[in-house]
Amino acid sequence: MTTFADLGLSAKLLKALEKTNLKEPTPIQAQSIPHIMKGRDLMGLAQTGTGKTAAFGLPLLHRILDLGHPPAPRTVRALILAPTRELVTQIHDNLTVFTKGTSAKVIMVVGGASLNRQAMNLARGADVLVATPGRLIDLLERGDVDLQATGYLVLDEADHMLDMGFIHALRRIAKHIPVKRQTLLFSATMPKDIEEIADTYLRDPVRVQVATPGKPIEKIVQGVHFIPNGDKARLLEEYLKKHPGEQALVFGRTKHGSEKLSKLLAVWGFKVGSIHGNKSQNQRDRTLTEFRNGELDVLVATDVAARGIDIPGVRHVYNHDLPNVPENYVHRIGRTARAGAEGTAVAFCAPAEMDELRAIEKVMKKPIPIIGGAPWSAEMVAAAPKPGQNRGQRPAGGGRPGQPKAQGQAQKSFAPRGEGKPAGKPQGAKPARPMGGGQSPNRAGAPQGAKHSRPQQNRRPA
């Protein structure tokens, strides 16, 4: 059995590791750390929850601690780029634990926080800077940080960085970093664009792969439930009530829809919070802390949280809306079954989401087991509005989204083929027509009058 001591890490790091839950290296750590300590560029492919942060963080800290003197003002020795604020925070927190009792200084910068305060933190320099690309460019343009002495560059969750449109930001940042450096790229999937990035920024890299890209953790029990869009909230309520006291993560497609669903679950008595792009960094941090501490049972989020949430207590992941980027499904469900635990992942599929489901199953190279309803017919799929379609229009009958139609008006049934009523649908309830990919549950207590937002776009965080 390989131990961290066998990998040659410094005594100070080994002492810090003794106070963590890391007792022996994971496969990605055992295979990556020796190459990184030798100074090789590396491309690491591993699914979420396999310990990638320690795989690159520990050997970088080992090499930096060997220098024996502090960094110069405003300079950075090692730069770690990650696509979301939550992931940056998670990496920063892990590295801070690893550096306890050492002289290494780890700083994080993200959008949504005070730019001036971050500039002040960087004034004395940093051994390791963990950053989102957008905020780092802000600091570079102001002259608050200097990357000319940066000898290490880490691109974490590189595939998600591409999905969010950060390739142009990466090119701008790379111009500030010396060509002679050590570059590490970690990703859970391997699209063609990642290969091109590796060819551009890595020199003769070692490739370490410990799992098939896109393959979810085997301990996750998956299932898909075919359900009309307007009935999803009711079905989610049933699932949540089946597992009282067990933490659940719910993913929505849009910021507006996720917030609306969160408020609806709160009305129904659940201890719930939400994180998405419309929340400030302080709000997101506070909600994640409450969820991590067990003060919340349910967290509703957009894909901003698909990566960067490492909470061992999450037992269930519900894809209330299927992602339009199929690889994000793998990262979403990877939020459960952490640290060797077991977990379940249930996907809700409306008629308009059949294409997304097929794309997900293509990435995974196998079908998701059906646990409710039946696959939608081609006629139903063709008739269903796609996410974002009919945006801002009211349902026939003049009611607001989520309200029943006027008395006496007919409403089209969206029952799955071969089924009378979707599982869990109370008698007499009428599903509302899907609007813009959001939630329109026909139930008392639903927030009224909210406008539907556009689907969440890939854009640089604030």
Side-chain angles (χ1 to χ4, degrees):
M1 180 184 67
T2 302
T3 67
F4 285 108
D6 296 333
L7 299 176
L9 294 172
S10 69
K12 290 182 178 180
L13 289 176
L14 292 175
K15 186 175 181 180
L17 284 171
E18 290 176 357
K19 300 178 181 180
T20 70
N21 294 325
L22 301 178
K23 304 306 177 185
E24 60 186 62
T26 64
I28 189 66
Q29 294 162 4
Q31 295 182 42
S32 299
I33 289 175
H35 293 299
I36 298 173
M37 290 179 65
K38 292 177 183 177
R40 294 290 303 275
D41 284 9
L42 182 139
M43 181 166 56
L45 300 175
Q47 57 201 18
T48 57
T50 54
K52 286 181 286 186
T53 301
F56 61 74
L58 290 172
L60 285 187
L61 291 171
H62 172 91
R63 302 197 73 190
I64 289 171
L65 289 172
D66 276 347
L67 297 176
H69 58 85
R74 296 197 311 278
T75 64
V76 172
R77 284 175 167 161
L79 172 63
I80 301 172
L81 293 177
T84 67
R85 305 171 193 174
E86 282 67 32
L87 185 54
V88 166
T89 301
Q90 177 185 308
I91 295 171
H92 170 268
D93 292 348
N94 286 339
L95 296 185
T96 300
V97 171
F98 299 155
T99 57
K100 192 172 183 179
T102 74
S103 59
K105 184 178 181 181
V106 182
I107 292 177
M108 61 175 275
V109 296
V110 297
S114 170
L115 187 61
N116 289 332
R117 183 173 299 175
Q118 291 173 353
M120 291 174 60
N121 291 338
L122 285 167
R124 295 185 179 180
D127 289 296
V128 181
L129 175 63
V130 193
T132 51
R135 177 46 55 96
L136 178 58
I137 288 176
D138 294 337
L139 291 162
L140 284 169
E141 290 177 345
R142 286 169 39 124
D144 293 322
V145 62
D146 186 344
L147 302 181
Q148 293 183 24
T150 301
Y152 308 96
L153 172 63
V154 181
L155 307 177
D156 193 22
E157 302 288 9
D159 49 351
H160 193 35
M161 210 174 295
L162 287 178
D163 293 340
M164 296 180 68
F166 283 133
I167 183 61
H168 299 296
L170 175 59
R171 290 175 182 145
R172 293 177 63 183
I173 292 169
K175 293 178 181 178
H176 294 266
I177 307 175
V179 175
K180 189 177 180 181
R181 64 174 184 264
Q182 183 178 11
T183 306
L184 312 174
L185 183 152
F186 284 81
S187 181
T189 59
M190 196 61 186
K192 183 179 179 180
D193 288 344
I194 294 295
E195 293 275 9
E196 295 176 358
I197 286 182
D199 291 341
T200 302
Y201 297 103
L202 277 66
R203 297 174 301 169
D204 188 27
V206 177
R207 177 166 172 154
V208 174
Q209 181 172 331
V210 298
T212 303
K215 186 177 181 182
I217 298 172
E218 296 295 341
K219 289 188 177 181
I220 301 174
V221 179
Q222 301 177 64
V224 59
H225 198 126
F226 294 96
I227 184 79
N229 203 58
D231 291 334
K232 285 183 177 181
R234 290 278 186 92
L235 181 61
L236 176 62
E237 179 191 22
E238 291 190 8
Y239 274 109
L240 293 175
K241 286 185 174 180
K242 288 178 183 177
H243 307 283
E246 296 183 5
Q247 286 190 303
L249 188 54
V250 180
F251 284 102
R253 181 187 294 268
T254 67
K255 295 177 284 188
H256 165 76
S258 297
E259 184 66 17
K260 183 178 179 182
L261 179 61
S262 173
K263 292 179 179 178
L264 184 59
L265 293 175
V267 169
W268 292 350
F270 294 99
K271 294 186 291 182
V272 58
S274 65
I275 59 173
H276 48 72
N278 281 350
K279 297 281 189 177
S280 70
Q281 188 60 41
N282 287 338
Q283 289 175 315
R284 288 157 69 164
D285 290 344
R286 183 168 59 251
T287 299
L288 278 176
T289 298
E290 292 173 350
F291 191 53
R292 184 174 286 109
N293 293 340
E295 298 171 37
L296 301 175
D297 291 329
V298 184
L299 178 63
V300 183
T302 57
D303 278 321
V304 72
R307 316 186 193 201
I309 293 184
D310 186 8
I311 301 177
V314 175
R315 292 293 306 277
H316 309 278
V317 171
Y318 297 103
N319 283 284
H320 183 275
D321 302 314
L322 295 184
N324 52 13
V325 177
E327 288 82 5
N328 282 355
Y329 172 84
V330 179
H331 301 296
R332 287 181 176 189
I333 70 172
R335 299 307 100 197
T336 187
R338 310 287 286 186
E342 296 182 351
T344 64
V346 179
F348 298 170
C349 182
E353 296 174 305
M354 285 298 291
D355 287 345
E356 282 84 350
L357 178 62
R358 294 188 189 102
I360 289 168
E361 293 178 332
K362 183 178 180 180
V363 166
M364 294 179 39
K365 296 181 172 60
K366 66 177 182 180
I368 301 175
I370 299 173
I371 58 175
W376 301 101
S377 67
E379 293 79 10
M380 294 296 295
V381 172
K386 298 298 180 184
Q389 194 173 332
N390 297 334
R391 199 163 33 235
Q393 297 180 15
R394 293 186 176 183
R400 295 183 183 274
Q403 288 184 326
K405 293 187 177 185
Q407 187 174 4
Q409 290 181 323
Q411 189 166 6
K412 183 178 179 180
S413 171
F414 281 91
R417 182 176 60 185
E419 299 239 323
K421 295 181 181 295
K425 178 182 175 184
Q427 292 293 329
K430 296 181 180 180
R433 182 181 179 183
M435 291 286 292
Q439 295 76 27
S440 301
N442 180 19
R443 179 170 181 140
Q448 300 294 331
K451 295 181 180 178
H452 289 271
S453 65
R454 294 177 180 269
Q456 188 176 22
Q457 300 292 321
N458 295 335
R459 51 189 163 191
R460 195 177 90 184

